[in-house]
Amino acid sequence: MLVVRPIRPADLPALERLAGTATPRLTNLPTHRDRLEERITRSQRAFRAGVDFPGDEHYTYVLEDLERDLVVGTATIRAQAGAHEAYYTYRQETLIHASQQLDVRREVQTLALSYEVSDTSLLCAYSLDPRYRGTSGESLLRRARLMFIAQYPERFAEMLALAFPGYLDADDESPFWNSVGRHFFMRDFQEINHIAGVRSKSFIAEVMPQFPLYLALLTPQARAAIGREHPDHEPALEEMLGEGFLRSRHVDIFDAGPVIKGERSRLESVRRAAWHPVRIRPAHSLPDAEPAMVANQRLEGFRCLVTRYALSPTGQLMLSPEHADILGVEEGRAVLAAPLTLPGDGHDAGYDEGEL
């Protein structure tokens, strides 16, 4: 039995383990005990706070296997990506170079330093125990955050964003970093990635070039890595495109991994979510139905799990006593439910119109 809930102090050892096994290592989930303790404290403060608009709140969740009494995954929402300091990306742009005298007109691709993503709510710091990949828990952990956002829209921006880890070569090196960032920092990718997670990212604006980078001047390997996700994150990217996110012109400033964006009201888990009163029935008597994510109405006590989307003729969601107990709901109490299966696979998802 898997459930997503807010993180608590007792989860610190599990969080350390998940940070250490993330593939690749994540900037926003550093293997640093003090920073992880701060993450837990900050999350608890966010869940307890009265919030009318998004700010510097970080909401961190864990995926718990109740049968094994084991935390097997974690994920976070940053209510405003740039609330504390600007969230920098590179934006892919096109410049026109023309000369009437020479009868030359060339379109040149560039990367420009940007902080436009700073105003979005950022889904980040996702790490899952490898043994649970391919299970319903993988999607549950990733998308339960959207069930929370659907209930508390005032806490988040209308535009959500996700930055995926970029492509690394066989030596775990970033071709993009080696062609760009390394010239300014004189450090390898893994080292700068760790520094960015443990310390402030203000050094990006202080050291990185402020002028556009011409792609033609980068190595072929670096150009090929722009907007390309790490192979281990391909299924996650496809799922979130199926959710309704769109590719943007933004890429990560370190490894050029893709940044996708989506209006929360257009996302499948938000748009298709519906409230249902609960009807409790023995598990063996529940009818077969498609799987659904079901979440309770609590803030600090938020719970989300996967069960069958079994409705009574009067629109009640039928839950087993076990599931009702995990959610902390009684008969007649309303829960939010959304189909676990997405209608599309995301393969034809294009660019955000505002990014064209």
Side-chain angles (χ1 to χ4, degrees), residues 182-258:
R182 190 182 185 95
H183 296 295
F184 299 91
F185 290 94
M186 303 303 293
R187 287 180 168 87
D188 64 30
F189 174 73
Q190 299 298 345
E191 183 181 1
I192 203 70
N193 204 36
H194 180 73
I195 292 172
V198 172
R199 303 178 186 174
S200 167
K201 285 188 176 182
S202 61
F203 65 81
I204 295 174
E206 296 167 354
V207 181
M208 290 297 276
Q210 300 296 311
F211 299 102
L213 302 177
Y214 284 71
L215 267 60
L217 302 181
L218 304 183
T219 65
Q221 294 86 350
R223 293 198 299 271
I226 295 172
R228 181 180 176 186
E229 70 278 8
H230 189 281
D232 285 358
H233 291 259
E234 289 176 4
L237 176 58
E238 289 301 309
E239 180 177 41
M240 298 315 280
L241 293 177
E243 177 71 60
F245 283 87
L246 296 172
R247 294 180 183 272
S248 76
R249 299 295 181 186
H250 296 266
V251 297
D252 184 81
I253 198 167
F254 292 151
D255 60 19

Side-chain angles (χ1 to χ4, degrees), residues 70-99:
L70 186 65
V71 168
V72 297
T74 185
T76 294
I77 312 172
R78 290 170 61 176
Q80 188 176 18
H84 179 61
E85 57 188 14
Y87 185 89
Y88 288 101
T89 61
Y90 274 128
R91 179 184 169 100
Q92 301 177 73
E93 298 180 349
T94 302
L95 297 181
I96 305 297
H97 287 235
S99 170

Side-chain angles (χ1 to χ4, degrees), residues 156-330:
F156 304 99
E158 173 59 30
M159 186 66 69
L160 309 181
L162 263 147
F164 284 90
Y167 172 78
L168 303 181
D169 62 22
D171 297 320
D172 269 352
E173 289 290 327
S174 166
F176 181 80
W177 175 260
N178 288 338
S179 186
V180 179
R182 190 182 185 95
H183 296 295
F184 299 91
F185 290 94
M186 303 303 293
R187 287 180 168 87
D188 64 30
F189 174 73
Q190 299 298 345
E191 183 181 1
I192 203 70
N193 204 36
H194 180 73
I195 292 172
V198 172
R199 303 178 186 174
S200 167
K201 285 188 176 182
S202 61
F203 65 81
I204 295 174
E206 296 167 354
V207 181
M208 290 297 276
Q210 300 296 311
F211 299 102
L213 302 177
Y214 284 71
L215 267 60
L217 302 181
L218 304 183
T219 65
Q221 294 86 350
R223 293 198 299 271
I226 295 172
R228 181 180 176 186
E229 70 278 8
H230 189 281
D232 285 358
H233 291 259
E234 289 176 4
L237 176 58
E238 289 301 309
E239 180 177 41
M240 298 315 280
L241 293 177
E243 177 71 60
F245 283 87
L246 296 172
R247 294 180 183 272
S248 76
R249 299 295 181 186
H250 296 266
V251 297
D252 184 81
I253 198 167
F254 292 151
D255 60 19
V259 176
I260 62 175
K261 297 164 70 177
E263 294 181 48
R264 67 168 188 244
S265 58
R266 294 187 177 184
L267 301 179
E268 294 293 335
S269 295
V270 176
R271 189 175 61 82
R272 300 170 71 196
W275 290 101
H276 299 281
V278 168
R279 185 176 183 180
I280 300 175
R281 291 292 181 269
H284 65 82
S285 68
L286 298 181
D288 289 333
E290 292 297 315
M293 297 181 292
V294 178
N296 62 11
Q297 295 188 64
R298 299 182 181 179
L299 186 59
E300 290 183 67
F302 176 78
R303 299 289 185 274
C304 188
L305 51 74
V306 173
T307 186
R308 287 174 284 184
Y309 209 150
L311 298 180
S312 72
T314 55
Q316 295 169 305
L317 183 70
M318 291 184 278
L319 294 177
S320 68
E322 182 183 16
H323 284 163
D325 182 61
I326 293 170
L327 292 171
V329 296
E330 301 172 349

